[in-house]
Amino acid sequence: MWYELEPLPGQGVDDQHVYLEQARRAAAALGLSDRPSIDTWWRMLTHRDDGMILAADRTGRWVCLPDGVDTDVIRILAAACHAKARQLDEAPGILTTRLKWAHAIMPASATLSRTARGGPDDTDNENIRLDPPAGGVIVLNIRRQGHWETSRAKDWLADEFNMAPDTNRLQETGVGVCRVNAGMPDLADAHREVKRAANALNLGITPGVASHASRPGLAGLIIAVLCAMLAVFLFIRLGVWWPLPAAIPLLAAMIIRRARMGMDAPIWQRPRHYWRWRPRMRRCDPADYKSRYAGDDHTANRRKTAHAYAYQRSTFPLPADTLTGLTAPPQAGNAVSTGLSNRPGELETADGPLLGLDAAGLDVRMPANITWDGVALIGKPGGGKSNSMHGLEHWAAGHMHPADSLIVFEAKGRDSFPTLHTLMPGMRFMDVADPATPIVSLLGEGTAHERAQRFATLMRGALGDQQIGPQSRLQLADSVELALRALAQPGPFARHCKAQGVNPPHDWVDCTFTLLFGHGAQQGRALAAAISRLLDDDEARQAVERLHGGVNENTGRPAVPDAQLYQRLYAPMNKMSLLAATPAITASRPTLTWRQLLSHGVQLAINLGDPVSEQVAAMADDSRTLVGALLFQGLRTEIGALCAGWETKNRHVRIFVDELTDITGADGRDSGGNVDAVEWLRSRARAYGAELTVGTQYPEQLSDRLLACITGFRTIGSYVLLAPTSAQTMADVLGVQTAAIRSLPNHVACWRTTDAHGGNLPALTLSVPHFDAGAGV
């Protein structure tokens, strides 16, 4: 029985735990939580009573339930999808047209990325989305897992992650399996769309999925033809006649079966089981030997195999929350079609990044020659801002020369890195919280004095004069230089520290923090005395005197009391405490410099969000913001020093910032910090080949000066903003009504851009493709 799901008004459930519970209830109603037993096997063989068929086009969702199921099943499913169900007399019209069909296939070499190990509460509904083009349809045939599949899946997950598989969402209650089909007028389009739909399941499969053309009954017909040919051969050459009575009826039956199959035959093919008695295995890679404590397994040099993909290759696991996310109909689907803009004639030949699709389904691109003037994206969490950002990044990666650089400051980390890896296989990744990955040095190269001065300048530039003034900058430079010079002699330094009764610092951040009284005045003065005796030169003594005020010649006591010195050192000590609280920043790990990266050209994603590996502790928000500000300021400074004249050489460095507040460092103030850096990139970066794309959630998060800067970009996009103040701000920027911003449906954005000559165009309301699943760029 077919049903059409129609969206209900409103946004549905916001609470993730409530949403997940509703999804599990729907999966249980569909029978996906059940398992075969000795009392139910005969009914399961003779009558389908589990799962469903889901059909989806651009604006509609239809489900087909097995005959005889309880009517409460569709009610529970519709409630979980924030929709109402309407019974149909026949199959949807899109399934009665003649289409070419393809189904997704899991490659034999497929593995799970380590970011795919999230537990039941780790969901990302923004990436769960079916978005077929006009005239096409995606169909999922869904059933429960079998006994052998369940046990093999647990072994597969355990070997993939070398840890307990129960922490993975593929082992939670209500996980079913599905076959992913796509029907399109052209077979090549069907192959493309079915791979995109399989990627939308958000399983974390690397390196991606493949596809096969769906031709039901063809394999049986080929086998029957071969059997008939063999029977005829045996009769002619050997006179053996008895195979003919078996082969000829078999061939006739296969021909009749093939001829009777309807145009929608591929959608009725159930997901197949993997029936081989031995599970699929694969040879381990070095990365498979990482233990759950993020160390190296001592058996890494031995030959070892691991359990590979647990299911038949055309069968995909389907968690309960993913099922309801795909089944939910698009909000206000009919209104989206009528509310979209038409592509202006000035953009018909535009060759830049894809912004979205107009009311006729035509691509709307911005001109490539205006990307230097900046792109800004604003939208509430879950609205699709990151999806558009990934589409812009994908276009930039596809239009890079070998000497160009692409730098991404990624805020979502664990959720976005698998997507970036799929979209841009050449991307290199850096996780600021993970010592197993490289990091850009905060000191750079050169002598101790040069490195200390560079760091102090970097800190002041990233945070601004109101947080790090001239005096604080000098104190940072002196303390860092003393630390670097002392740590260059580890043995003698440890002995002098012991003589002064202070523990030797383990790195330059800890040493600097201690000199700035981070561990108390007594520890700071003792460490300074140890460094003075170790270095024994005028420069060191003068630096210590500038830091701690020297000694009163008459009394032999410090010239500046501890309480007064605390006040002087508080600002730099406070900032160094944020670095000291994050030992991963200065841990023993490979370091690079911005000069090295920009000189050779690189695609680099820097994770400022949740660590990609679950064994790595997340950084505190203040520490993460400080490190992001320092890295961004270092990049801006190196662009100014290295990239002069790149525009004339047609070289580019494209910078993408997923969340602007992660790198500003200005503490909400209008002056100083990386606000200056953003303004520099806005006004002067063209001559240096630099292009900036930024995103943020709400305009109120930014200072007035920074907001004025980014809203002056030539291209600005806004997703839905429900808060009146936010919506009013963006409506004024885009030149539309406030209601237009507040009523934008999901996956729809309002854009302002210009033509290739800089001429202003009216705001465009466009449907944004699902770039994360591989939509065209």
Side-chain angles (χ1 to χ4, degrees):
M1 182 65 67
W2 281 99
Y3 297 86
E4 182 177 7
L5 295 181
E6 299 174 348
L8 294 174
Q11 296 295 324
V13 177
D14 289 332
D15 191 316
Q16 187 62 50
H17 295 283
V18 175
Y19 172 80
L20 184 58
E21 188 59 36
Q22 290 181 349
R24 289 171 174 166
R25 191 180 301 118
L30 291 168
L32 302 181
S33 302
D34 301 340
R35 290 297 178 265
S37 69
I38 192 171
D39 297 325
T40 61
W41 69 272
W42 178 251
R43 177 171 176 81
M44 294 176 59
L45 288 176
T46 58
H47 180 77
R48 176 182 179 180
D49 60 356
D50 67 305
M52 69 177 189
I53 294 177
L54 167 65
D57 68 0
R58 176 61 65 87
T59 60
R61 297 292 185 271
W62 301 270
V63 296
C64 180
L65 299 180
D67 294 336
V69 300
D70 197 317
T71 55
D72 283 343
V73 173
I74 188 63
R75 178 183 58 81
I76 295 173
L77 176 64
C81 299
H82 190 63
K84 64 178 180 180
R86 180 171 60 88
Q87 185 174 334
L88 302 178
D89 295 331
E90 56 186 10
I94 187 67
L95 299 180
T96 61
T97 59
R98 183 170 296 279
L99 299 173
K100 302 295 179 61
W101 290 90
H103 63 272
I105 291 289
M106 188 68 64
S109 60
T111 60
L112 276 176
S113 66
R114 294 192 175 272
T115 56
R117 67 174 62 172
D121 295 333
D122 185 15
T123 57
D124 184 8
N125 295 326
E126 180 183 334
N127 292 329
I128 301 173
R129 171 184 171 192
L130 294 177
D131 192 18
V137 62
I138 302 296
V139 177
L140 271 63
N141 195 319
I142 304 159
R143 64 164 173 82
R144 65 166 64 91
Q145 291 193 67
H147 173 75
W148 303 111
E149 289 173 327
T150 304
S151 58
R152 285 176 175 174
K154 182 168 290 191
D155 293 339
W156 169 51
L157 295 172
D159 276 5
E160 285 285 351
F161 299 133
N162 196 14
M163 63 185 298
D166 294 335
T167 61
N168 192 277
R169 62 196 296 257
L170 297 182
Q171 284 293 297
E172 67 170 334
T173 302
V175 176
V177 293
C178 68
R179 180 183 177 94
V180 184
N181 306 276
M184 294 291 295
D186 183 74
L187 185 59
D189 293 337
H191 281 288
R192 183 190 68 248
E193 294 302 325
V194 78
K195 288 185 284 189
R196 185 186 301 172
N199 288 330
L201 298 182
N202 199 27
L203 299 176
I205 300 294
T206 57
V209 300
S211 63
H212 282 178
S214 292
R215 299 182 177 92
L218 181 61
L221 179 60
I222 292 175
I223 293 174
V225 169
L226 294 177
C227 291
M229 292 175 61
L230 178 61
V232 172
F233 174 80
L234 293 176
F235 178 74
I236 295 176
R237 297 298 300 269
L238 303 178
V240 179
W241 62 269
W242 58 265
L244 286 174
I248 300 303
L250 175 63
L251 176 60
M254 290 297 102
I255 293 175
I256 295 173
R257 176 173 177 264
R258 174 76 173 166
R260 287 183 174 180
M261 284 186 176
M263 293 178 292
D264 60 348
I267 73 172
W268 302 103
Q269 287 190 276
R270 292 269 275 172
R272 296 193 179 103
H273 292 260
Y274 182 65
W275 289 116
R276 292 181 56 183
W277 67 277
R278 294 189 61 183
R280 190 182 286 112
M281 307 295 290
R282 66 174 176 83
R283 179 78 59 84
C284 282
D285 297 324
D288 294 311
Y289 295 101
K290 298 294 182 182
S291 73
R292 64 187 307 172
Y293 300 104
D296 290 331
D297 194 329
H298 296 294
T299 63
N301 294 324
R302 301 180 186 176
R303 293 180 60 186
K304 183 181 178 182
T305 58
H307 286 83
Y309 189 61
Y311 306 95
Q312 205 274 347
R313 291 179 57 197
S314 62
T315 300
F316 291 74
L318 188 67
D321 60 298
T322 303
L323 170 61
T324 53
L326 297 175
T327 307
Q331 288 290 328
N334 295 330
V336 172
S337 298
T338 57
L340 298 181
S341 304
N342 292 314
R343 184 177 67 185
E346 294 87 344
L347 298 181
E348 288 184 0
T349 59
D351 56 348
L354 178 63
L355 302 180
L357 307 178
D358 72 351
L362 301 175
D363 289 354
V364 179
R365 297 179 177 273
M366 60 182 288
N369 65 334
I370 68 168
T371 56
W372 64 269
D373 205 11
V375 180
L377 283 165
I378 299 177
K380 74 178 186 69
K385 173 175 61 68
S386 295
N387 174 66
S388 285
M389 186 72 72
H390 294 162
L392 296 172
E393 293 163 5
H394 190 190
W395 180 89
H399 292 78
M400 285 180 61
H401 298 297
D404 290 350
S405 291
L406 172 63
I407 310 296
V408 176
F409 291 88
E410 181 57 59
K412 299 183 76 172
R414 183 180 301 169
D415 294 332
S416 290
F417 269 35
T419 300
L420 294 179
H421 178 80
T422 302
L423 295 179
M424 293 164 281
M427 180 73 74
R428 299 179 181 272
F429 298 96
M430 179 182 297
D431 194 334
V432 295
D434 189 356
T437 65
I439 194 169
V440 176
S441 174
L442 301 179
L443 298 172
E445 299 174 335
T447 65
H449 176 75
E450 293 171 342
R451 299 170 75 194
Q453 293 294 326
R454 184 182 294 112
F455 175 78
T457 302
L458 196 66
M459 185 74 81
R460 186 181 182 190
L463 302 180
D465 289 347
Q466 294 187 11
Q467 297 187 72
I468 300 294
Q471 182 64 28
S472 297
R473 183 205 170 281
L474 182 61
Q475 292 164 342
L476 279 171
D478 285 337
S479 56
V480 171
E481 183 175 353
L482 289 172
L484 294 176
R485 292 184 62 192
L487 290 171
Q489 307 176 53
F493 184 35
R495 291 194 295 271
H496 281 84
C497 288
K498 184 177 181 181
Q500 295 295 324
V502 62
N503 294 325
H506 51 80
D507 58 34
W508 68 272
V509 171
D510 186 33
C511 187
T512 302
F513 182 57
T514 304
L515 286 172
L516 295 172
F517 284 14
H519 295 299
Q522 182 178 357
Q523 292 286 314
R525 293 188 185 276
L527 182 61
I531 293 176
S532 296
R533 286 172 170 76
L534 170 68
L535 301 179
D536 193 24
D537 56 34
D538 291 339
E539 292 182 2
R541 285 188 286 270
Q542 292 171 4
V544 171
E545 185 172 347
R546 286 193 297 269
L547 275 175
H548 295 167
V551 177
N552 189 313
E553 296 180 356
N554 296 325
T555 63
R557 298 177 62 82
V560 181
D562 291 349
Q564 184 178 349
L565 199 54
Y566 265 119
Q567 295 180 354
R568 292 185 183 179
L569 300 176
Y570 177 76
M573 182 266 290
N574 181 47
K575 300 308 175 185
M576 291 305 299
S577 69
L578 299 178
L579 293 181
T582 312
I585 297 299
T586 54
S588 178
R589 59 193 293 186
T591 58
L592 301 165
T593 65
W594 283 121
R595 181 171 291 268
Q596 291 173 327
L597 294 171
L598 296 178
S599 297
H600 297 90
V602 68
Q603 294 182 31
L604 175 65
I606 302 175
N607 178 27
L608 299 176
D610 291 335
V612 176
S613 174
E614 289 188 345
Q615 285 80 35
V616 177
M619 297 171 59
D621 288 343
D622 290 343
S623 299
R624 176 172 53 83
T625 301
L626 175 61
V627 174
L630 292 173
L631 292 175
F632 187 80
Q633 177 66 210
L635 174 59
R636 208 274 329 143
T637 303
E638 200 58 54
I639 290 174
L642 178 68
C643 304
W646 273 24
E647 180 194 16
T648 60
K649 300 176 183 178
N650 197 27
R651 291 186 64 180
H652 300 88
V653 50
R654 294 185 169 102
I655 306 168
F656 293 84
V657 182
D658 184 63
E659 179 49 61
L660 194 55
T661 56
D662 284 345
I663 58 92
T664 52
D667 198 22
R669 299 181 175 92
D670 284 346
S671 61
N674 279 338
V675 177
D676 292 334
V678 175
E679 289 182 337
W680 187 92
L681 289 168
R682 164 82 170 84
S683 61
R684 301 183 56 191
R686 183 180 186 183
Y688 297 82
E691 299 175 2
L692 179 63
T693 300
V694 301
T696 193
Q697 295 178 353
Y698 303 105
E700 301 84 62
Q701 293 177 305
L702 309 179
S703 66
D704 292 342
R705 180 180 163 196
L706 184 57
L707 180 61
C709 177
I710 69 167
T711 53
F713 287 173
R714 189 167 295 194
T715 303
I716 300 176
S718 175
Y719 280 88
V720 60
L721 292 168
L722 300 179
T725 304
S726 302
Q728 181 63 56
T729 300
M730 292 312 300
D732 293 341
V733 170
L734 298 173
V736 298
Q737 297 294 323
T738 304
I741 301 299
R742 300 187 66 182
S743 62
L744 285 173
N746 289 337
H747 317 308
V748 173
C750 185
W751 289 92
R752 186 198 75 191
T753 188
T754 67
D755 60 25
H757 305 290
N760 292 327
L761 297 174
L764 303 171
T765 303
L766 305 175
S767 174
V768 181
H770 196 187
F771 295 114
D772 286 352
V777 295

